[in-house]
mmCIF file of all heavy atoms in Angstrom:
data_model
loop_
_atom_site.group_PDB
_atom_site.id
_atom_site.type_symbol
_atom_site.label_atom_id
_atom_site.label_comp_id
_atom_site.label_asym_id
_atom_site.label_seq_id
_atom_site.Cartn_x
_atom_site.Cartn_y
_atom_site.Cartn_z
ATOM 1 N N LEU A 51 3.486 -4.340 -12.464
ATOM 2 C CA LEU A 51 2.520 -5.422 -12.527
ATOM 3 C C LEU A 51 1.624 -5.251 -13.754
ATOM 4 O O LEU A 51 1.095 -4.182 -14.018
ATOM 5 C CB LEU A 51 1.660 -5.430 -11.259
ATOM 6 C CG LEU A 51 0.804 -6.668 -11.025
ATOM 7 C CD1 LEU A 51 1.689 -7.886 -10.818
ATOM 8 C CD2 LEU A 51 -0.097 -6.468 -9.811
ATOM 9 N N CYS A 58 -7.761 -9.642 -6.875
ATOM 10 C CA CYS A 58 -6.672 -10.022 -5.960
ATOM 11 C C CYS A 58 -5.292 -9.656 -6.477
ATOM 12 O O CYS A 58 -4.298 -9.812 -5.758
ATOM 13 C CB CYS A 58 -6.729 -11.510 -5.668
ATOM 14 S SG CYS A 58 -6.279 -12.555 -7.080
ATOM 15 N N ALA A 59 -5.180 -9.210 -7.736
ATOM 16 C CA ALA A 59 -3.923 -8.765 -8.344
ATOM 17 C C ALA A 59 -2.923 -9.884 -8.599
ATOM 18 O O ALA A 59 -1.736 -9.615 -8.811
ATOM 19 C CB ALA A 59 -3.270 -7.652 -7.522
ATOM 20 N N ALA A 80 -11.539 -5.145 -4.742
ATOM 21 C CA ALA A 80 -10.550 -4.901 -5.789
ATOM 22 C C ALA A 80 -9.192 -4.657 -5.159
ATOM 23 O O ALA A 80 -9.087 -4.351 -3.966
ATOM 24 C CB ALA A 80 -10.956 -3.698 -6.643
ATOM 25 N N THR A 81 -8.158 -4.801 -5.986
ATOM 26 C CA THR A 81 -6.798 -4.535 -5.534
ATOM 27 C C THR A 81 -6.047 -3.752 -6.603
ATOM 28 O O THR A 81 -6.032 -4.146 -7.769
ATOM 29 C CB THR A 81 -6.027 -5.842 -5.244
ATOM 30 O OG1 THR A 81 -6.689 -6.564 -4.197
ATOM 31 C CG2 THR A 81 -4.591 -5.546 -4.820
ATOM 32 N N ILE A 82 -5.460 -2.639 -6.193
ATOM 33 C CA ILE A 82 -4.560 -1.866 -7.036
ATOM 34 C C ILE A 82 -3.148 -2.129 -6.527
ATOM 35 O O ILE A 82 -2.835 -1.836 -5.370
ATOM 36 C CB ILE A 82 -4.858 -0.359 -6.952
ATOM 37 C CG1 ILE A 82 -6.278 -0.053 -7.438
ATOM 38 C CG2 ILE A 82 -3.835 0.439 -7.741
ATOM 39 C CD1 ILE A 82 -6.522 -0.310 -8.894
ATOM 40 N N ALA A 83 -2.307 -2.732 -7.348
ATOM 41 C CA ALA A 83 -0.915 -3.011 -6.980
ATOM 42 C C ALA A 83 -0.009 -2.502 -8.091
ATOM 43 O O ALA A 83 -0.217 -2.822 -9.262
ATOM 44 C CB ALA A 83 -0.700 -4.505 -6.755
ATOM 45 N N ALA A 84 0.988 -1.729 -7.722
ATOM 46 C CA ALA A 84 1.860 -1.128 -8.737
ATOM 47 C C ALA A 84 2.870 -2.121 -9.294
ATOM 48 O O ALA A 84 3.140 -2.125 -10.492
ATOM 49 C CB ALA A 84 2.594 0.075 -8.140
ATOM 50 N N PHE A 85 3.432 -2.961 -8.432
ATOM 51 C CA PHE A 85 4.532 -3.822 -8.841
ATOM 52 C C PHE A 85 4.319 -5.269 -8.406
ATOM 53 O O PHE A 85 3.547 -5.555 -7.498
ATOM 54 C CB PHE A 85 5.857 -3.337 -8.209
ATOM 55 C CG PHE A 85 6.205 -1.912 -8.501
ATOM 56 C CD1 PHE A 85 5.994 -0.923 -7.547
ATOM 57 C CD2 PHE A 85 6.754 -1.553 -9.725
ATOM 58 C CE1 PHE A 85 6.333 0.398 -7.809
ATOM 59 C CE2 PHE A 85 7.091 -0.235 -9.992
ATOM 60 C CZ PHE A 85 6.877 0.745 -9.041
ATOM 61 N N SER A 86 5.080 -6.142 -9.050
ATOM 62 C CA SER A 86 5.252 -7.486 -8.522
ATOM 63 C C SER A 86 6.362 -7.404 -7.481
ATOM 64 O O SER A 86 7.378 -6.715 -7.682
ATOM 65 C CB SER A 86 5.649 -8.447 -9.648
ATOM 66 O OG SER A 86 5.872 -9.743 -9.144
ATOM 67 N N ILE A 95 11.316 -1.396 -0.634
ATOM 68 C CA ILE A 95 10.355 -1.525 0.471
ATOM 69 C C ILE A 95 11.076 -1.874 1.768
ATOM 70 O O ILE A 95 10.709 -1.385 2.847
ATOM 71 C CB ILE A 95 9.275 -2.557 0.110
ATOM 72 C CG1 ILE A 95 8.414 -2.013 -1.034
ATOM 73 C CG2 ILE A 95 8.405 -2.885 1.323
ATOM 74 C CD1 ILE A 95 7.341 -2.950 -1.524
ATOM 75 N N CYS A 110 6.409 5.541 -3.122
ATOM 76 C CA CYS A 110 5.451 4.428 -3.151
ATOM 77 C C CYS A 110 4.028 4.921 -3.403
ATOM 78 O O CYS A 110 3.277 4.315 -4.174
ATOM 79 C CB CYS A 110 5.512 3.658 -1.829
ATOM 80 S SG CYS A 110 7.017 2.689 -1.582
ATOM 81 N N ALA A 111 3.662 6.020 -2.764
ATOM 82 C CA ALA A 111 2.325 6.581 -2.955
ATOM 83 C C ALA A 111 2.113 6.986 -4.409
ATOM 84 O O ALA A 111 1.057 6.716 -5.002
ATOM 85 C CB ALA A 111 2.126 7.785 -2.037
ATOM 86 N N ALA A 113 3.589 5.744 -6.999
ATOM 87 C CA ALA A 113 3.516 4.532 -7.819
ATOM 88 C C ALA A 113 2.113 3.932 -7.770
ATOM 89 O O ALA A 113 1.574 3.499 -8.797
ATOM 90 C CB ALA A 113 4.548 3.514 -7.341
ATOM 91 N N ILE A 114 1.505 3.915 -6.593
ATOM 92 C CA ILE A 114 0.140 3.392 -6.463
ATOM 93 C C ILE A 114 -0.828 4.231 -7.282
ATOM 94 O O ILE A 114 -1.671 3.712 -8.024
ATOM 95 C CB ILE A 114 -0.285 3.362 -4.984
ATOM 96 C CG1 ILE A 114 0.504 2.298 -4.222
ATOM 97 C CG2 ILE A 114 -1.795 3.092 -4.854
ATOM 98 C CD1 ILE A 114 0.272 2.319 -2.721
ATOM 99 N N LEU A 115 -0.728 5.556 -7.153
ATOM 100 C CA LEU A 115 -1.649 6.434 -7.876
ATOM 101 C C LEU A 115 -1.444 6.339 -9.382
ATOM 102 O O LEU A 115 -2.407 6.401 -10.157
ATOM 103 C CB LEU A 115 -1.474 7.874 -7.388
ATOM 104 C CG LEU A 115 -1.933 8.129 -5.944
ATOM 105 C CD1 LEU A 115 -1.579 9.550 -5.522
ATOM 106 C CD2 LEU A 115 -3.431 7.880 -5.797
ATOM 107 N N ARG A 117 -0.419 3.667 -10.977
ATOM 108 C CA ARG A 117 -1.017 2.387 -11.371
ATOM 109 C C ARG A 117 -2.538 2.480 -11.420
ATOM 110 O O ARG A 117 -3.181 1.965 -12.351
ATOM 111 C CB ARG A 117 -0.595 1.303 -10.391
ATOM 112 C CG ARG A 117 -1.267 -0.048 -10.592
ATOM 113 C CD ARG A 117 -0.944 -0.618 -11.962
ATOM 114 N NE ARG A 117 -1.599 -1.895 -12.153
ATOM 115 C CZ ARG A 117 -1.615 -2.553 -13.304
ATOM 116 N NH1 ARG A 117 -0.989 -2.067 -14.350
ATOM 117 N NH2 ARG A 117 -2.248 -3.698 -13.407
ATOM 118 N N ARG A 118 -3.130 3.155 -10.454
ATOM 119 C CA ARG A 118 -4.591 3.291 -10.438
ATOM 120 C C ARG A 118 -5.069 4.074 -11.650
ATOM 121 O O ARG A 118 -6.093 3.743 -12.261
ATOM 122 C CB ARG A 118 -5.045 3.973 -9.153
ATOM 123 C CG ARG A 118 -6.562 4.087 -9.038
ATOM 124 C CD ARG A 118 -6.978 4.562 -7.670
ATOM 125 N NE ARG A 118 -8.428 4.572 -7.576
ATOM 126 C CZ ARG A 118 -9.198 5.627 -7.819
ATOM 127 N NH1 ARG A 118 -8.643 6.776 -8.182
ATOM 128 N NH2 ARG A 118 -10.507 5.550 -7.707
ATOM 129 N N LEU A 135 -3.312 -0.003 6.865
ATOM 130 C CA LEU A 135 -3.330 -1.245 7.619
ATOM 131 C C LEU A 135 -2.446 -1.066 8.853
ATOM 132 O O LEU A 135 -1.265 -0.734 8.731
ATOM 133 C CB LEU A 135 -2.808 -2.401 6.766
ATOM 134 C CG LEU A 135 -3.122 -3.788 7.320
ATOM 135 C CD1 LEU A 135 -4.614 -4.109 7.155
ATOM 136 C CD2 LEU A 135 -2.280 -4.852 6.634
ATOM 137 N N SER A 150 2.857 1.907 6.172
ATOM 138 C CA SER A 150 1.591 2.013 5.443
ATOM 139 C C SER A 150 0.901 3.346 5.743
ATOM 140 O O SER A 150 0.282 3.955 4.867
ATOM 141 C CB SER A 150 0.673 0.839 5.798
ATOM 142 O OG SER A 150 1.284 -0.379 5.441
ATOM 143 N N ILE A 153 2.623 6.041 3.684
ATOM 144 C CA ILE A 153 2.193 6.004 2.280
ATOM 145 C C ILE A 153 0.788 6.582 2.154
ATOM 146 O O ILE A 153 0.504 7.383 1.266
ATOM 147 C CB ILE A 153 2.240 4.556 1.753
ATOM 148 C CG1 ILE A 153 3.682 4.030 1.748
ATOM 149 C CG2 ILE A 153 1.649 4.484 0.342
ATOM 150 C CD1 ILE A 153 3.789 2.537 1.503
ATOM 151 N N ILE A 157 -0.805 9.753 -0.091
ATOM 152 C CA ILE A 157 -1.914 9.579 -1.030
ATOM 153 C C ILE A 157 -3.045 10.545 -0.693
ATOM 154 O O ILE A 157 -3.640 11.168 -1.574
ATOM 155 C CB ILE A 157 -2.421 8.122 -1.019
ATOM 156 C CG1 ILE A 157 -1.361 7.194 -1.609
ATOM 157 C CG2 ILE A 157 -3.730 7.996 -1.802
ATOM 158 C CD1 ILE A 157 -1.730 5.721 -1.542
ATOM 159 N N ALA A 207 -10.531 2.679 0.837
ATOM 160 C CA ALA A 207 -9.306 2.129 0.263
ATOM 161 C C ALA A 207 -8.338 1.851 1.410
ATOM 162 O O ALA A 207 -8.004 2.757 2.183
ATOM 163 C CB ALA A 207 -8.681 3.089 -0.738
ATOM 164 N N VAL A 208 -7.937 0.598 1.547
ATOM 165 C CA VAL A 208 -6.981 0.204 2.581
ATOM 166 C C VAL A 208 -5.587 0.204 1.968
ATOM 167 O O VAL A 208 -5.346 -0.453 0.951
ATOM 168 C CB VAL A 208 -7.313 -1.189 3.154
ATOM 169 C CG1 VAL A 208 -6.284 -1.592 4.206
ATOM 170 C CG2 VAL A 208 -8.715 -1.195 3.759
ATOM 171 N N VAL A 209 -4.672 0.930 2.586
ATOM 172 C CA VAL A 209 -3.328 1.110 2.049
ATOM 173 C C VAL A 209 -2.341 0.226 2.801
ATOM 174 O O VAL A 209 -2.335 0.185 4.042
ATOM 175 C CB VAL A 209 -2.895 2.586 2.149
ATOM 176 C CG1 VAL A 209 -1.477 2.779 1.606
ATOM 177 C CG2 VAL A 209 -3.885 3.483 1.405
ATOM 178 N N ASP A 210 -1.492 -0.482 2.044
ATOM 179 C CA ASP A 210 -0.456 -1.311 2.642
ATOM 180 C C ASP A 210 0.750 -1.324 1.708
ATOM 181 O O ASP A 210 0.657 -0.885 0.561
ATOM 182 C CB ASP A 210 -0.973 -2.731 2.889
ATOM 183 C CG ASP A 210 -0.135 -3.491 3.905
ATOM 184 O OD1 ASP A 210 0.701 -2.863 4.591
ATOM 185 O OD2 ASP A 210 -0.314 -4.721 4.034
ATOM 186 N N ASP A 211 1.867 -1.821 2.204
ATOM 187 C CA ASP A 211 3.058 -1.858 1.360
ATOM 188 C C ASP A 211 3.084 -3.098 0.474
ATOM 189 O O ASP A 211 3.204 -2.993 -0.751
ATOM 190 C CB ASP A 211 4.328 -1.737 2.206
ATOM 191 C CG ASP A 211 4.428 -2.789 3.306
ATOM 192 O OD1 ASP A 211 3.416 -3.488 3.569
ATOM 193 O OD2 ASP A 211 5.503 -2.922 3.908
ATOM 194 N N VAL A 212 2.980 -4.293 1.066
ATOM 195 C CA VAL A 212 3.064 -5.529 0.291
ATOM 196 C C VAL A 212 1.866 -6.423 0.598
ATOM 197 O O VAL A 212 1.500 -6.610 1.759
ATOM 198 C CB VAL A 212 4.364 -6.300 0.609
ATOM 199 C CG1 VAL A 212 4.434 -7.597 -0.206
ATOM 200 C CG2 VAL A 212 5.585 -5.443 0.326
ATOM 201 N N MET A 213 1.267 -6.959 -0.444
ATOM 202 C CA MET A 213 0.187 -7.940 -0.309
ATOM 203 C C MET A 213 0.779 -9.301 -0.683
ATOM 204 O O MET A 213 1.211 -9.503 -1.818
ATOM 205 C CB MET A 213 -0.966 -7.575 -1.233
ATOM 206 C CG MET A 213 -2.150 -8.520 -1.168
ATOM 207 S SD MET A 213 -3.461 -7.888 -2.269
ATOM 208 C CE MET A 213 -4.725 -9.139 -2.027
ATOM 209 N N THR A 214 0.818 -10.209 0.270
ATOM 210 C CA THR A 214 1.415 -11.520 0.006
ATOM 211 C C THR A 214 0.316 -12.525 -0.292
ATOM 212 O O THR A 214 -0.072 -12.708 -1.427
ATOM 213 C CB THR A 214 2.300 -11.960 1.180
ATOM 214 O OG1 THR A 214 3.276 -10.942 1.436
ATOM 215 C CG2 THR A 214 3.044 -13.249 0.855
ATOM 216 N N GLY A 216 -2.704 -12.031 0.983
ATOM 217 C CA GLY A 216 -3.932 -11.243 1.070
ATOM 218 C C GLY A 216 -4.727 -11.538 2.320
ATOM 219 O O GLY A 216 -5.821 -10.998 2.509
ATOM 220 N N LEU A 219 -5.283 -8.344 4.565
ATOM 221 C CA LEU A 219 -6.182 -7.403 3.908
ATOM 222 C C LEU A 219 -7.600 -7.951 3.817
ATOM 223 O O LEU A 219 -8.576 -7.206 3.933
ATOM 224 C CB LEU A 219 -5.646 -7.047 2.526
ATOM 225 C CG LEU A 219 -4.401 -6.156 2.552
ATOM 226 C CD1 LEU A 219 -3.682 -6.179 1.212
ATOM 227 C CD2 LEU A 219 -4.757 -4.731 2.942
ATOM 228 N N GLU A 235 -11.372 -1.511 -1.181
ATOM 229 C CA GLU A 235 -10.298 -1.804 -2.127
ATOM 230 C C GLU A 235 -8.970 -1.857 -1.388
ATOM 231 O O GLU A 235 -8.794 -1.170 -0.374
ATOM 232 C CB GLU A 235 -10.208 -0.732 -3.216
ATOM 233 C CG GLU A 235 -11.342 -0.764 -4.211
ATOM 234 C CD GLU A 235 -11.038 0.084 -5.447
ATOM 235 O OE1 GLU A 235 -9.973 0.742 -5.486
ATOM 236 O OE2 GLU A 235 -11.872 0.086 -6.373
ATOM 237 N N ASN A 236 -8.032 -2.632 -1.909
ATOM 238 C CA ASN A 236 -6.659 -2.632 -1.425
ATOM 239 C C ASN A 236 -5.818 -1.779 -2.362
ATOM 240 O O ASN A 236 -5.856 -1.978 -3.578
ATOM 241 C CB ASN A 236 -6.082 -4.048 -1.415
ATOM 242 C CG ASN A 236 -6.940 -5.027 -0.647
ATOM 243 O OD1 ASN A 236 -7.440 -4.704 0.418
ATOM 244 N ND2 ASN A 236 -7.095 -6.232 -1.185
ATOM 245 N N TRP A 237 -5.065 -0.844 -1.808
ATOM 246 C CA TRP A 237 -4.110 -0.052 -2.581
ATOM 247 C C TRP A 237 -2.729 -0.376 -2.029
ATOM 248 O O TRP A 237 -2.379 0.065 -0.926
ATOM 249 C CB TRP A 237 -4.397 1.438 -2.462
ATOM 250 C CG TRP A 237 -5.655 1.874 -3.178
ATOM 251 C CD1 TRP A 237 -6.607 1.076 -3.730
ATOM 252 C CD2 TRP A 237 -6.086 3.222 -3.420
ATOM 253 N NE1 TRP A 237 -7.611 1.829 -4.294
ATOM 254 C CE2 TRP A 237 -7.318 3.145 -4.122
ATOM 255 C CE3 TRP A 237 -5.572 4.465 -3.109
ATOM 256 C CZ2 TRP A 237 -8.024 4.287 -4.510
ATOM 257 C CZ3 TRP A 237 -6.261 5.604 -3.495
ATOM 258 C CH2 TRP A 237 -7.481 5.514 -4.189
ATOM 259 N N VAL A 238 -1.956 -1.164 -2.774
ATOM 260 C CA VAL A 238 -0.677 -1.644 -2.266
ATOM 261 C C VAL A 238 0.442 -1.322 -3.253
ATOM 262 O O VAL A 238 0.213 -1.149 -4.445
ATOM 263 C CB VAL A 238 -0.709 -3.160 -1.993
ATOM 264 C CG1 VAL A 238 -1.789 -3.490 -0.964
ATOM 265 C CG2 VAL A 238 -0.934 -3.966 -3.274
ATOM 266 N N VAL A 239 1.640 -1.261 -2.731
ATOM 267 C CA VAL A 239 2.803 -0.988 -3.571
ATOM 268 C C VAL A 239 3.142 -2.219 -4.419
ATOM 269 O O VAL A 239 3.375 -2.110 -5.619
ATOM 270 C CB VAL A 239 4.020 -0.591 -2.716
ATOM 271 C CG1 VAL A 239 5.210 -0.229 -3.615
ATOM 272 C CG2 VAL A 239 3.688 0.563 -1.786
ATOM 273 N N ALA A 240 3.139 -3.394 -3.792
ATOM 274 C CA ALA A 240 3.586 -4.581 -4.500
ATOM 275 C C ALA A 240 2.749 -5.797 -4.108
ATOM 276 O O ALA A 240 2.254 -5.899 -2.982
ATOM 277 C CB ALA A 240 5.057 -4.861 -4.228
ATOM 278 N N ARG A 241 2.630 -6.715 -5.060
ATOM 279 C CA ARG A 241 1.896 -7.967 -4.859
ATOM 280 C C ARG A 241 2.867 -9.136 -5.024
ATOM 281 O O ARG A 241 3.578 -9.223 -6.026
ATOM 282 C CB ARG A 241 0.778 -8.084 -5.892
ATOM 283 C CG ARG A 241 -0.055 -9.375 -5.836
ATOM 284 C CD ARG A 241 -0.695 -9.554 -4.501
ATOM 285 N NE ARG A 241 -1.901 -10.367 -4.523
ATOM 286 C CZ ARG A 241 -2.065 -11.517 -3.860
ATOM 287 N NH1 ARG A 241 -1.061 -12.027 -3.161
ATOM 288 N NH2 ARG A 241 -3.221 -12.143 -3.875
ATOM 289 N N THR A 242 2.931 -9.986 -4.019
ATOM 290 C CA THR A 242 3.797 -11.157 -4.083
ATOM 291 C C THR A 242 3.130 -12.254 -4.907
ATOM 292 O O THR A 242 1.997 -12.637 -4.612
ATOM 293 C CB THR A 242 4.080 -11.698 -2.675
ATOM 294 O OG1 THR A 242 4.676 -10.666 -1.892
ATOM 295 C CG2 THR A 242 5.016 -12.897 -2.734
#
Side-chain angles (χ1 to χ4, degrees):
L51 193 64
C58 70
T81 299
I82 299 294
F85 304 102
S86 178
I95 292 178
C110 289
I114 291 173
L115 292 174
R117 174 61 181 172
R118 183 171 184 266
L135 195 72
S150 299
I153 296 169
I157 292 176
V208 179
V209 179
D210 199 12
D211 55 348
V212 180
M213 180 177 180
T214 305
L219 288 163
E235 289 194 356
N236 306 318
W237 289 10
V238 300
V239 183
R241 178 58 155 119
T242 302

